[in-house]
Amino acid sequence: MPATITAATVAKARADAKPGAKRYEVVDARARGLVLRVGATGAQWQLRYALAGRDVRLPLGGIDAWTIAEARDLVGRAQAMLRDRTGVPDQDWLDRQRRAAGKAEPLPVTVAKPKDLFAWTYAQGRTKWLDEIGRTRRAATYADYKSVLSMPDLAGLDKKPLPSISRGDLAGIISKIHRSGRESTAEHLVRVVRPFWKWLAQDGQAGKSGILPGAMDGLTAPERTLDESDAAGEYVPPLEELGRIVAICRSGAMDAVVAGAVELTVWTAQRRRAVAEATIDQFEAIGGGRGLWHVPPASRKTRSKAGTKKRPHVIPLPPAAWSCVSRALATATTKKSDYLFPQLRARRAGDAKTSIHPSSITHTLGFMPGVAASPHDLRRAFGTHGESRFGLLRSDVQSILDHAAGSGDVTGTHYSLHDGTHRTWPIMQTWVAGLLPYVDAAIAGLGPVEEIRAAIAAKRYGDQQRAAE
C-alpha cells in the first residue's frame, strides 16, 4: 500500500540498507510513480510508469542524491511529460535534470522535441482523418470537414506536432473567429474538431498522433450575441410566398430544369440533396395523374449502421405535385439523362454529366423576386402550416419530413414491409389541397414574365443594366 515518505522513512531506509538485508519498497502516496527501493546494495529512488503497455523502472539515484521534495518534483515533471505526450523520461532526460539541478557536470545535449517523438503534425493528422471520412461518409461531409479544418484561421497549426496543440490553443482560435462576427463558423469548427481529436486518440492512431483520450472534452464556442429582434427567430415563409415560388417556377422566367427542382421542393418538403440528385427510376406513376417518389436511403440524412438495411422513404405525389415530375421527366428524356434534373454541363472537362448541384436550389430561391425562403425554410413551412393551418398532427409532419424513421424501428425494418403510403396519402393530399389556392392566386397576380426574368437576372448578376439587356 502507498505510504507518505517522510524523513523517518528515509532514515529507516538508510539504516536498513546493509549487506544481508531483505529487499523492500516504499511507494509514495504523494507522488504517483515515486518508489524508494531498499536492499542489501543500498537505497535508491525510482520512477515507475507505463509506456506502450509495458512497465518501466527508471533509477533516479541513491537516497542521498535527491531530497524527498526534489524526488517528488522530478517525478511530477516526468508524469506531466508522459501525460502531455511531449517526451519520454529516460536516462538522457534524467541526465539533463541532474545537470539542471547542479548535480552533475553540464554537457552539450540535444533536447528531444515533440516532433522527434511523434510522427504526425496537425496537417498530417488532418489528412489521415479526412482519408477515413472519405471512406466512411458522404462526399458532401468530406468536403465540409476538409473546408473547416483547412480554413485560414487554422493555418498556423499545420506544422505543429499534434501533442503540442492544447485545448486552450484551439479555444483561442475559436474565440477569435467568434469575435470577428462569424459565430456560426466558430460553433461549426467545434463540432468538427471534437470528433477529429477523438479519432486521433483511438488505439489505431494514438501511437502516431500522441493524443490522449478526452483532450478536447469541454471545448465549446462562446455564446452567441444576444439578438432580441424579430429577425432573430427562424423564418417561416407564409403560404402566399410558397404560392409565389410555384408560380414563378411555372412562369417560364427561369431554366425549366432548376425551376422543376424548386417546385418539387415546395410540394414535397424534402431535403435539397434528395431533390437535386433524384433519378428517374425513383418515381412511379400509379394512374389518375398521381405518383410515388421512392427516396433511397443514400439520399437521406440518417445513415444506416453496418450490417443493417434501410428502406426507401416513400412520398405520395397528388396530381399537382406529380405534374411537376411529369414535366421534368419529359425534359430529362429529351436530354437522355438518368437524372430527373440533369445538369446543363459537366462540372469539369471530361466528367460525365450528372444532376444539378443541391446549391442550385438555394441560389435560385435567392434570385426570385419577393422570395426570402431557403430550402430548409420550405421544410419548416410544411411543419408549421401543416399543423397550424391544415390540422396535421406532429407525427404526420414527421412522417413526411423523414424525422420519424429512426434506426431503432425494428418492426418497420424487418417485419412490416409495406411502403407506409396508406397513412401518408391523406397527409400529402391535405398539404397540396391547402397550398393550391395560394398557387392559383399567385399565378393570377404574377407580373409580366419579362419583368420577372429581368428581376432574377438583376439579383443573380447584381447589374441592372446587364439584366435589362
Side-chain angles (χ1 to χ4, degrees):
M1 292 290 292
T4 300
I5 296 177
T6 64
T9 308
V10 171
K12 182 177 184 303
R14 188 178 288 109
D16 292 342
K18 56 187 178 183
K22 185 178 180 180
R23 187 174 64 188
Y24 68 90
E25 294 179 345
V26 181
V27 179
D28 190 30
R30 292 181 55 186
R32 182 169 61 89
L34 177 60
V35 176
L36 180 57
R37 187 168 187 174
V38 183
T41 57
Q44 69 171 199
W45 300 106
Q46 284 190 342
L47 165 64
R48 284 188 191 173
Y49 62 92
L51 182 66
R54 61 186 179 89
D55 292 329
V56 179
R57 286 176 178 258
L58 177 65
L60 301 177
I63 197 171
D64 296 318
W66 307 92
T67 66
I68 300 173
E70 289 173 336
R72 285 176 178 147
D73 179 67
L74 186 64
V75 167
R77 279 182 275 129
Q79 296 289 7
M81 185 167 58
L82 289 167
R83 181 181 63 250
D84 297 336
R85 295 277 186 149
T86 56
V88 177
D90 54 15
Q91 190 60 50
D92 288 340
W93 170 82
L94 180 60
D95 289 343
R96 293 195 299 273
Q97 304 309 307
R98 284 174 174 159
R99 287 190 288 274
K103 298 180 181 295
E105 290 295 324
L107 295 173
V109 293
T110 301
V111 179
K113 298 179 180 179
K115 67 180 182 181
D116 301 322
L117 300 168
F118 302 103
W120 290 352
T121 61
Y122 171 84
Q124 291 169 329
R126 176 183 61 203
T127 298
K128 297 291 185 180
W129 188 58
L130 289 175
D131 287 345
E132 185 69 6
I133 292 299
R135 184 183 69 83
T136 60
R137 303 291 183 88
R138 293 172 175 146
T141 303
Y142 171 86
D144 176 45
Y145 286 5
K146 181 178 180 180
S147 174
V148 170
L149 294 178
S150 304
M151 64 174 60
D153 307 81
L154 300 172
L157 302 179
D158 279 358
K159 295 181 180 180
K160 286 190 174 183
L162 283 164
S164 70
I165 302 172
S166 68
R167 188 177 72 185
D169 294 334
L170 284 167
I173 293 172
I174 291 165
S175 179
K176 185 176 180 180
I177 293 172
H178 185 275
R179 290 195 303 271
S180 73
R182 295 172 292 155
E183 298 185 1
S184 61
T185 300
E187 293 168 354
H188 190 35
L189 178 56
V190 171
R191 290 193 294 269
V192 177
V193 163
R194 293 183 66 174
F196 175 31
W197 245 256
K198 184 176 180 180
W199 180 84
L200 290 171
Q202 291 176 358
D203 291 344
Q205 297 75 240
K208 289 289 188 181
S209 70
I211 298 298
L212 294 175
M216 290 297 155
D217 286 356
L219 180 68
T220 60
E223 290 190 20
R224 288 209 178 193
T225 303
L226 179 63
D227 186 351
E228 297 181 320
S229 65
D230 293 339
E234 294 177 324
Y235 180 58
V236 179
L239 291 167
E240 291 80 4
E241 183 175 336
L242 300 185
R244 180 172 177 80
I245 293 171
V246 175
I248 294 175
C249 288
R250 294 182 178 182
S251 70
M254 334 183 271
D255 176 79
V257 172
V258 179
V262 174
E263 182 179 344
L264 186 62
T265 306
V266 174
W267 291 121
T268 63
Q270 295 307 291
R271 296 180 176 91
R272 63 175 193 165
R273 190 168 70 85
V275 174
E277 298 177 358
T279 55
I280 291 175
D281 59 7
Q282 295 173 12
F283 295 87
E284 175 189 359
I286 59 175
R290 304 172 303 157
L292 298 173
W293 179 16
H294 302 265
V295 184
S299 294
R300 295 157 66 185
K301 192 169 184 178
T302 52
R303 300 175 70 245
S304 301
K305 293 182 179 179
T308 64
K309 184 177 180 181
K310 197 170 185 179
R311 295 164 55 205
H313 178 48
V314 183
I315 302 294
L317 301 175
W322 183 252
S323 67
C324 169
V325 174
S326 296
R327 294 191 301 273
L329 285 170
T331 301
T333 301
T334 62
K335 295 179 180 293
K336 298 181 180 180
S337 174
D338 294 331
Y339 292 91
L340 186 65
F341 304 113
Q343 62 183 169
L344 180 63
R345 62 183 66 86
R347 293 183 176 90
R348 300 179 185 86
D351 287 356
K353 288 195 291 186
T354 56
S355 66
I356 63 171
H357 195 276
S359 63
S360 297
I361 298 176
T362 306
H363 296 326
T364 301
L365 283 168
F367 299 148
M368 289 181 172
V371 172
S374 70
H376 202 74
D377 293 334
L378 300 182
R379 288 169 61 79
R380 188 178 297 113
F382 175 83
T384 303
H385 299 310
E387 291 185 36
S388 65
R389 300 287 294 275
F390 303 145
L392 298 179
L393 301 175
R394 179 62 55 84
S395 58
D396 296 336
V397 170
Q398 291 174 333
S399 67
I400 299 300
L401 295 181
D402 195 22
H403 287 175
S407 59
D409 181 11
V410 176
T411 302
T413 302
H414 300 288
Y415 301 108
S416 182
L417 300 181
H418 59 79
D419 60 16
T421 54
H422 66 290
R423 176 170 176 250
T424 52
W425 262 113
I427 299 170
M428 287 302 296
Q429 287 171 331
T430 297
W431 169 249
V432 171
L435 187 55
L436 268 174
Y438 295 91
V439 173
D440 294 339
I443 291 175
L446 206 62
V449 66
E450 293 80 9
E451 293 181 7
I452 297 173
R453 188 178 292 117
I456 290 173
K459 276 197 172 185
R460 180 172 185 177
Y461 301 113
D463 185 341
Q464 292 289 350
Q465 183 176 357
R466 180 177 178 181
E469 294 173 353

